[in-house]
Amino acid sequence: MEIDPFIFRLSIFILSIFIGYYVVWSVTPSLHTPLMSVTNAISSVIIVGAIIAALAGGADNILDTANIFGFLAIILAAVNIFGGFLVTQRMLAMYKKKKKDKK
Amino acid sequence: MISANLLAVFYLISGVLFILALRGLSSPETSRQGNLFGIIGMAIAIGVTIISVGNFSTGFLYLMVLMLIGGSIGAFISFKIPMTAMPELVAGFHSLVGLAAVFVAISAFLNPEVFNLGSPSNIKIASLIEMSLGAAIGAITFTGSIIAFLKLRGIMSGSPITFFGQHYINLFLGLSLAGLIFYLCKTQADTWFWTIIFISFLLGVLLIIPIGGADMPVVISMLNSYSGWAAAGIGFTLENTALIITGALVGSSGAILSYIMCKGMNRSFFNVILGGWGATDQSSSNKSKEQKPVKSGNADDAAFLMKNASSVIIVPGYGMAVAQAQHALREMVDALKKNGVKVTYAIHPVAGRMPGHMNVLLAEANVPYDEVFELEEINNDFANCDVAYVIGANDVTNPVAKSDPQSPIYGMPILDVEKSKSVLFVKRSLSPGYAGIDNDLFYRDNTLMLFADAKKMTEEIIKSLD
């Protein structure tokens, strides 16, 4: 008997929750704000669904309702991807060690 | 075109890179590299998806233009946003993820062939459940984050909005969602699908309005978690590994942060999300306020005390963020260091409006991160410190959390500011903190109140130090 592919996806999901659990506990509390902004950015990988939805069908029916929702989702996710990663980068650049020469 | 197996491998690589992105945050040195991993992972996911769809006609042009527009907006915001506004920015970003999840779910529902989910009005039951869950959680995340954004921005009052039977209405709406998903699977009628989305939008609003302003760290973490679960739900619908892995990572990350925040306040998660807390109970706190004597001082007194101290601990709170006092504070500390004073910073887990809020503000002001300590690391040092400079914090220093079992904040871990030889409290007035509880510290002999705006007072102290 064959195993439903859903079970594989479920396994990946459950194991990823555990990875997330251990990885996030090891994040230093002082970086919790960048953690939130970067998780925000990576959850925008939902854009892959939006791309598939938007580009479905040929050139003639590219503006069907379903495609338009895909395009709208692309804009939203793009704001998030660029905004999320860049603001994280900006924050992380501020975390510096004490520089002896500055004192 | 690209084979389905190869595509899956690329998505797996993206997922692994996202894990490494979070792993990098275990220390500031590795964090920037981690962020780079995240960006590469995202680029791979987007790139292979576009190649796999293989549609390079007009649609591709639209895609590029829209990504450019969205990307420019995102980049613009990320460069312009002041660090003090990070909580509302993150809330705003959560709302976008939520809405994007709703849109993708709608698209999948309207055109299921594209995702191999069956045909319209004959969609696989499992897919229907997955996409309804994704859409529902996404919709809750969307409206919930909007409310959180409005509260953090101050457009909407931070005080809780409660009404009779609120929790029963929410419970009813939650249960009705389950019923609607059942009927959707049974009939495949789109009415049920739209109703699910509508009710979820409503539920998002109702869930967040009863939660008070200072509980926002929990709310933001919780919405962070929701946005992850929504992404995972969509990931199952689209059978996409990258989305499933990411959703699980983000979901558990937000859940852990919520837990840490609740523990920082010694409250249960349910106590926070059921809300209504922080509706200031003035009747009890105003009674004895007038009679007690308070010592208040000016900038010269404060400067004198700190200059002659050998060690000073700074305790920043939300008030510092509101007054934008972090840069002035750093200058003051520099001046103190010139006088040979040892200065460190103590940060309470729930100081500010989001996890790690104070750390980011101090980092922005160029405070080296190895001078900044968490509660457990520094709490014993207060006993040996000469001056504690409390700037914009209140409840997190209130000793009543240890002594009075009747107090609503009883049991909350606090910074032991009371143990230091003298305490300087920068505060605009004697008003109680968010929890509506009077702070005993104000009336102690070794406490000097500095009644002023946090930034102004700090700047005046700098002048007196010269």
Side-chain angles (χ1 to χ4, degrees):
Chain A
M1 222 174 82
E2 223 177 306
I3 300 171
D4 190 325
F6 172 80
I7 301 300
F8 289 120
R9 285 190 282 276
L10 189 66
S11 318
I12 294 172
F13 180 63
I14 303 287
L15 292 176
S16 300
I17 292 178
F18 277 93
I19 294 174
Y21 180 86
Y22 289 107
V23 169
V24 171
W25 272 115
S26 76
V27 171
T28 161
S30 66
L31 291 177
H32 275 162
T33 299
L35 171 68
M36 300 203 83
S37 61
V38 85
T39 49
N40 215 307
I42 64 173
S43 56
S44 310
V45 75
I46 200 153
I47 197 170
V48 301
I51 293 173
I52 299 171
L55 295 186
D60 43 335
N61 55 0
I62 199 74
L63 291 180
D64 279 359
T65 324
N67 296 70
I68 288 175
F69 275 111
F71 282 122
L72 288 176
I74 288 177
I75 305 186
L76 298 177
V79 173
N80 231 324
I81 291 171
F82 283 80
F85 279 123
L86 288 173
V87 86
T88 309
Q89 194 74 31
R90 203 180 128 203
M91 270 191 273
L92 293 177
M94 293 169 181
Y95 283 81
K96 291 182 203 111
K97 246 197 174 137
K98 185 156 44 183
K99 285 203 186 94
K100 295 281 179 239
D101 52 350
K102 257 195 168 176
K103 270 184 81 181
Chain B
M1 284 300 270
I2 179 170
S3 86
N5 287 333
L6 192 57
L7 189 62
V9 171
F10 275 117
Y11 284 142
L12 182 62
I13 294 173
S14 291
V16 172
L17 286 168
F18 291 152
I19 295 172
L20 292 175
L22 300 193
R23 184 73 187 89
L25 290 172
S26 56
S27 101
E29 286 103 70
T30 54
S31 61
R32 283 173 282 266
Q33 190 195 27
N35 199 40
L36 189 65
F37 283 141
I39 296 172
I40 297 170
M42 185 62 74
I44 291 177
I46 294 175
V48 295
T49 308
I50 294 176
I51 295 169
S52 77
V53 177
N55 178 352
F56 293 102
S57 61
T58 345
F60 181 68
L61 195 71
Y62 293 155
L63 169 88
M64 281 307 173
V65 172
L66 292 178
M67 281 203 22
L68 205 67
I69 294 174
S72 319
I73 298 173
F76 180 78
I77 296 173
S78 71
F79 285 118
K80 285 279 166 211
I81 191 91
M83 284 298 137
T84 41
M86 275 318 288
E88 49 263 48
L89 178 77
V90 168
F93 278 170
H94 285 154
S95 74
L96 299 184
V97 179
L99 193 60
V102 174
F103 285 168
V104 174
I106 292 177
S107 193
F109 181 76
L110 294 177
N111 199 355
E113 286 110 334
V114 183
F115 300 101
N116 298 320
L117 307 176
S119 55
S121 67
N122 189 20
I123 302 173
K124 284 185 272 180
I125 298 295
S127 307
L128 268 182
I129 297 176
E130 288 156 3
M131 73 173 77
S132 333
L133 284 177
I137 303 172
I140 292 173
T141 312
F142 173 63
T143 49
S145 302
I146 298 262
I147 300 294
F149 175 85
L150 293 176
K151 284 195 172 190
L152 287 163
R153 192 86 225 165
I155 298 170
M156 205 173 137
S157 154
S159 52
I161 299 169
T162 48
F163 52 85
F164 180 73
Q166 194 164 24
H167 302 318
Y168 294 103
I169 293 177
N170 291 347
L171 186 68
F172 171 75
L173 289 177
L175 290 176
S176 70
L177 278 180
L180 285 166
I181 293 175
F182 175 76
Y183 278 106
L184 175 69
C185 294
K186 214 173 156 189
T187 63
Q188 302 257 355
D190 57 356
T191 332
W192 302 119
F193 187 69
W194 300 119
T195 318
I196 289 171
I197 293 179
F198 175 77
I199 289 191
S200 306
F201 278 143
L202 190 65
L203 193 57
V205 174
L206 291 175
L207 279 176
I208 306 301
I209 52 169
I211 306 179
D215 283 341
M216 281 301 146
V218 182
V219 171
I220 296 194
S221 316
M222 189 176 83
L223 291 167
N224 186 232
S225 183
Y226 285 0
S227 70
W229 305 130
I234 303 295
F236 274 104
T237 320
L238 309 185
E239 312 186 339
N240 184 307
T241 335
L243 257 176
I244 295 177
I245 296 178
T246 314
L249 289 178
V250 177
S252 53
S253 162
I256 291 173
L257 289 177
S258 314
Y259 170 78
I260 295 175
M261 292 300 110
C262 288
K263 221 178 99 212
M265 297 191 286
N266 188 40
R267 293 169 58 199
S268 76
F269 183 67
F270 283 103
N271 182 286
V272 176
I273 56 167
L274 290 181
W277 215 67
T280 30
D281 183 14
Q282 258 141 11
S283 54
S284 62
S285 57
N286 275 359
K287 267 184 292 178
S288 52
K289 201 196 271 175
E290 313 304 333
Q291 300 100 317
K292 286 191 264 182
V294 170
K295 281 208 290 186
S296 81
N298 58 26
D300 292 331
D301 304 331
F304 178 79
L305 262 173
M306 287 198 277
K307 210 182 205 170
N308 293 305
S310 64
S311 68
V312 171
I313 298 180
I314 314 266
V315 181
Y318 184 59
M320 180 189 82
V322 174
Q324 304 257 20
Q326 66 272 29
H327 296 282
L329 184 66
R330 211 281 323 279
E331 283 171 38
M332 184 188 91
V333 170
D334 285 350
L336 285 173
K337 280 185 188 161
K338 254 183 231 152
N339 284 300
V341 184
K342 181 176 171 275
V343 188
T344 43
Y345 300 79
I347 296 188
H348 191 276
V350 293
R353 286 292 185 265
M354 76 185 292
H357 193 186
M358 291 300 122
N359 302 78
V360 170
L361 294 182
L362 292 177
E364 186 199 15
N366 282 320
V367 173
Y369 63 81
D370 44 10
E371 289 175 10
V372 182
F373 297 95
E374 304 299 318
L375 181 125
E376 307 90 58
E377 298 172 317
I378 200 168
N379 230 1
N380 292 329
D381 297 354
F382 280 106
N384 308 316
C385 116
D386 296 313
V387 180
Y389 186 72
V390 184
I391 174 167
N394 183 2
D395 289 335
V396 298
T397 64
N398 196 341
V400 86
K402 287 184 186 166
S403 55
D404 179 10
Q406 304 301 317
S407 164
I409 60 168
Y410 182 69
M412 175 169 114
I414 59 158
L415 289 162
D416 293 331
V417 169
E418 49 172 333
K419 290 187 183 156
S420 52
K421 288 198 193 80
S422 45
V423 181
L424 295 170
F425 236 108
V426 189
K427 212 168 170 308
R428 263 179 289 192
S429 69
L430 269 186
S431 64
Y434 159 72
I437 316 150
D438 214 10
N439 193 339
D440 243 10
L441 272 181
F442 298 166
Y443 313 105
R444 300 225 171 154
D445 272 345
N446 60 346
T447 303
L448 193 62
M449 299 298 294
L450 305 168
F451 291 114
D453 173 77
K455 189 176 177 186
K456 248 183 229 142
M457 177 50 76
T458 309
E459 281 166 349
E460 278 169 33
I461 295 177
I462 299 171
K463 269 184 219 142
S464 316
L465 279 172
D466 283 339

